[in-house]
Amino acid sequence: MAADDPPPILLSRPESELFRDAPAPWREYLLAARRAEAIDDALQRCLAYPDLPGNQWPAGHAEAHCKSHTQTFLSADALNALLDAGQYDDVERRLDALLQRHFSTSDFSEEIDYAFDGFKRTSPQTDARTLAWLQQRPNSPHAHLARGMYLLAAGADARGSAFIQNTPANRIREMERLLAQAVPELEAATRLQPRLMPAYAELVLAAMYDSSVADAQAAVTAAGRQDPACQTLFMRRMDALRPQWGGSLEAMLTLAAEVQRYVAERPQLAIYVGQPYAERGLALMREDDFGREAVELLEIAVRKGSREDALSDAANALLNAHDDSRDPWKALAYLLQGSRFKDGGRWEDVNISRMLLREEPALAWRYAQRVLAWKPDDSAANFYFAGANFNLGRIEVADRHLRIAIRDPDYVEDGLDALISMWLFRAGLSRPQAAAKVKPDLDRMLREFPDSGRALMYRIVSGLHEGGRIRAEWIKEFLDRMNPEDPKQAEFKRKLDAWMAENPGLRDTVNRARAAPRH
């Protein structure tokens, strides 16, 4: 196996050695998640994943959620390739087939709602692609929808993500200009094909941006005549009712009750039943309130449905709780559950890697690598990827990524610590070789972090590796500045004490130096 190959997960350590400190039911959950993570096929991996302990999900919920993310019959890349090749007839045929499945009782799929998501990328390529499609097929509802979605996404980018009262007037004007172009395209899509559900959902989104309750309600009413249980429509409606858009938690709860009526028929809809609770929990965290109430609200949300944002926010609350609600094992379970359904974001993947570093380095490797695949200079991802490689015995790879991490001032001390420790103790070098290898990094650590007990400890060890060239002053400085809460430093002090007990002359020299008045 090459150093850059993904390590096989189930071969790294036996289950009996894993997650032994995790309480029930989280240990069994994490072991089952590890077994699922070893499955290559995305759908089978998702289906094999354990559901969260204590969930109240409706029958079929997890399966429907898995299939919505993994059973893709027309990917964004495939759709773009067809459009760029001018194969508009094929595009229309495939999209019509997906729309037909949305209304099928025997072959139901909501993929038509996701098929257009690629047009939310506000790039020059998307602009040109959607414009060319519409020019070539002016009577295509799909072309109008794609163009409207692009313009709407461009308007959202222009506005930014700040609350409306904090958004500069020039941004609002640019958003309104683009919305004025987007809405007619979306309306044309629904006029040409009244069953094109994602067009109604985008009209609700446009009304949300424009703070138009009447327009939103008109789109909802029209959509309800076609499919009142459409998932994407509920998503947009719920988002439009968030307080930051002028809605309220009470209105969200009312909509959640409406969603509940359709859950038996469409079990994936349960992801929206808990959204009002998640919204309130998130609002508390935005106010730096990471207490029990925030945790409890977010846990209500994830018990009701497997919405990825709620799982991520619940993990955040559990990791940063100000009281005894803090629970890293449960947080890890929530983060892994979110990754079950789709790739997480940087924060999620970095934290999964960090938390699995010692327990399951092969899995930690995978999650850090996911970040590096699109953000190769990310300091945290490089740091934890290095740690995973180190724990897998890939020393040279660990060295390479640690040196990327320490370009970031926030990772210099920890990164140098890891580099020095790795080459001194774990690389299999002879003692003189190890001392020579770490010298540049140790000199830097001593220079930039002169009060670091770790650096002072490594200076003594390196001196011993060089042939015993150490000074009593080095021992004195370590004993004066060591951190007794650090197990490594505490153990090293114990060894130093034993060594000095066998060498009274050295002990007396160190004690005199420590007792001497400072000038």
Side-chain angles (χ1 to χ4, degrees):
M1 181 174 60
D4 291 332
D5 288 344
I9 290 169
L10 295 183
L11 296 182
S12 80
R13 293 175 67 191
E15 283 192 356
S16 60
E17 297 179 5
L18 290 171
F19 309 120
R20 287 183 292 189
D21 293 334
W26 304 111
R27 181 171 189 267
E28 285 306 314
Y29 172 88
L30 293 169
L31 290 173
R34 176 183 183 251
R35 292 191 289 268
E37 288 276 0
I39 299 172
D40 290 332
D41 180 81
L43 176 59
Q44 295 307 314
R45 168 189 171 276
C46 188
L47 293 173
Y49 231 88
D51 293 346
L52 279 178
N55 75 81
Q56 299 167 1
W57 303 344
H61 171 70
E63 180 181 357
H65 199 172
C66 285
K67 289 180 177 178
S68 74
H69 286 298
T70 57
Q71 288 190 327
T72 302
F73 297 95
L74 182 61
S75 68
D77 289 343
L79 179 55
N80 288 340
L82 289 168
L83 291 171
D84 292 344
Q87 298 182 28
Y88 296 108
D89 289 342
D90 197 5
V91 168
E92 302 286 342
R93 178 181 58 78
R94 295 189 188 204
L95 291 172
D96 283 343
L98 287 179
L99 181 58
Q100 185 176 355
R101 290 187 66 197
H102 186 91
F103 291 90
S104 170
T105 56
S106 59
D107 188 31
F108 174 76
S109 168
E110 294 208 62
E111 188 179 340
I112 189 65
D113 291 339
Y114 314 132
F116 292 84
D117 283 354
F119 301 116
K120 298 175 185 177
R121 300 171 188 161
T122 54
S123 66
Q125 293 86 350
T126 309
D127 186 8
R129 189 176 288 127
T130 56
L131 185 59
W133 186 6
L134 187 59
Q135 289 171 342
Q136 291 296 318
R137 293 290 192 274
N139 294 320
S140 163
H142 304 304
H144 283 283
L145 173 56
R147 185 62 182 166
M149 288 182 74
Y150 164 75
L151 291 166
L152 187 58
D157 284 355
R159 178 197 181 279
S161 58
F163 281 74
I164 192 71
Q165 62 268 28
N166 299 326
T167 304
N170 65 317
R171 283 180 169 269
I172 297 294
R173 286 194 296 273
E174 180 62 9
M175 177 192 73
E176 290 173 343
R177 184 185 73 81
L178 290 163
L179 256 61
Q181 298 176 48
V183 169
E185 301 294 351
L186 298 171
E187 290 175 337
T190 60
R191 187 169 58 253
L192 290 164
Q193 174 48 274
R195 303 182 99 187
L196 193 53
M197 300 305 297
Y200 297 108
E202 293 300 297
L203 284 168
V204 173
L205 183 61
M208 180 177 82
Y209 291 152
D210 205 29
S211 301
S212 175
V213 176
D215 288 348
Q217 187 55 53
V220 170
T221 300
R225 288 194 286 267
Q226 306 299 327
D227 179 13
C230 177
Q231 174 188 316
T232 301
L233 185 65
F234 275 128
M235 177 181 71
R236 294 301 183 212
R237 291 176 65 190
M238 193 66 79
D239 284 345
L241 294 177
R242 295 169 67 187
Q244 71 187 86
W245 294 105
S248 67
L249 292 174
E250 291 75 13
M252 293 178 76
L253 285 166
T254 299
L255 181 57
E258 181 182 340
V259 173
Q260 187 67 56
R261 298 205 302 267
Y262 299 99
V263 162
E265 173 190 352
R266 305 260 181 99
Q268 191 180 345
L269 289 176
I271 61 177
Y272 303 116
V273 175
Q275 193 166 342
Y277 303 94
E279 184 68 24
R280 176 56 186 156
L282 182 59
L284 289 171
M285 291 199 297
R286 286 197 184 109
E287 298 166 4
D288 199 31
D289 183 351
F290 283 78
R292 183 172 299 279
E293 183 182 2
V295 170
E296 289 178 350
L297 286 163
L298 286 158
E299 291 199 314
I300 291 172
V302 300
R303 280 198 299 273
K304 290 180 178 293
S306 58
R307 189 167 181 261
E308 295 93 334
D309 288 349
L311 287 161
S312 178
D313 291 336
N316 189 6
L318 288 163
L319 286 172
N320 296 287
H322 299 323
D323 52 30
D324 61 2
S325 300
R326 187 176 183 277
D327 191 336
W329 289 116
K330 189 187 293 187
L332 175 58
Y334 285 2
L335 289 173
L336 287 169
Q337 187 70 203
S339 78
R340 169 190 187 179
F341 299 110
K342 67 176 184 179
D343 287 354
R346 174 196 172 275
W347 182 86
E348 290 82 0
D349 286 351
V350 163
N351 273 283
I352 291 173
S353 182
R354 175 183 64 81
M355 297 166 77
L356 287 171
L357 203 56
R358 289 180 176 83
E359 290 282 354
E360 178 46 281
L363 200 47
W365 189 100
R366 173 182 292 183
Y367 278 93
Q369 198 275 334
R370 287 200 332 190
V371 179
L372 295 178
W374 62 274
K375 198 172 183 181
D377 292 329
D378 186 275
S379 305
N382 273 286
F383 185 78
Y384 295 118
F385 190 65
N389 277 287
F390 169 72
N391 287 335
L392 291 164
R394 299 172 173 187
I395 302 297
E396 294 288 349
V397 179
D399 181 278
R400 185 163 67 247
H401 287 276
L402 281 170
R403 296 195 185 281
I404 297 172
I406 62 176
R407 296 172 189 169
D408 183 339
D410 289 341
Y411 284 87
V412 171
E413 184 171 9
D414 287 343
L416 289 172
D417 185 346
L419 281 164
I420 296 165
S421 177
M422 178 175 72
W423 288 111
L424 272 181
F425 304 119
R426 300 289 294 276
L429 301 180
S430 69
R431 289 187 170 192
Q433 287 175 328
K437 178 73 175 177
V438 303
K439 188 177 187 310
D441 294 324
L442 179 55
D443 287 347
R444 179 181 177 186
M445 193 174 184
L446 288 164
R447 183 174 62 252
E448 297 185 20
F449 306 98
D451 292 324
S452 164
R454 288 283 186 100
L456 297 169
M457 176 179 71
Y458 295 142
R459 179 170 63 176
I460 297 169
V461 174
S462 184
L464 290 169
H465 281 13
E466 286 180 320
R469 295 197 298 271
I470 64 170
R471 304 173 190 169
E473 182 70 18
W474 293 357
I475 299 175
K476 169 198 175 299
E477 289 183 5
F478 169 73
L479 294 173
D480 285 346
R481 300 176 192 176
M482 67 159 292
N483 175 10
E485 301 300 319
D486 177 358
K488 286 189 177 181
Q489 294 182 55
E491 174 62 14
F492 186 68
K493 179 182 181 299
R494 187 188 67 76
K495 291 180 178 180
L496 269 181
D497 289 341
W499 184 44
M500 288 191 294
E502 296 174 0
N503 294 271
L506 175 63
R507 179 194 61 203
D508 293 343
T509 301
V510 171
N511 287 340
R512 281 196 300 273
R514 298 187 74 190
R518 297 184 180 182
H519 299 288

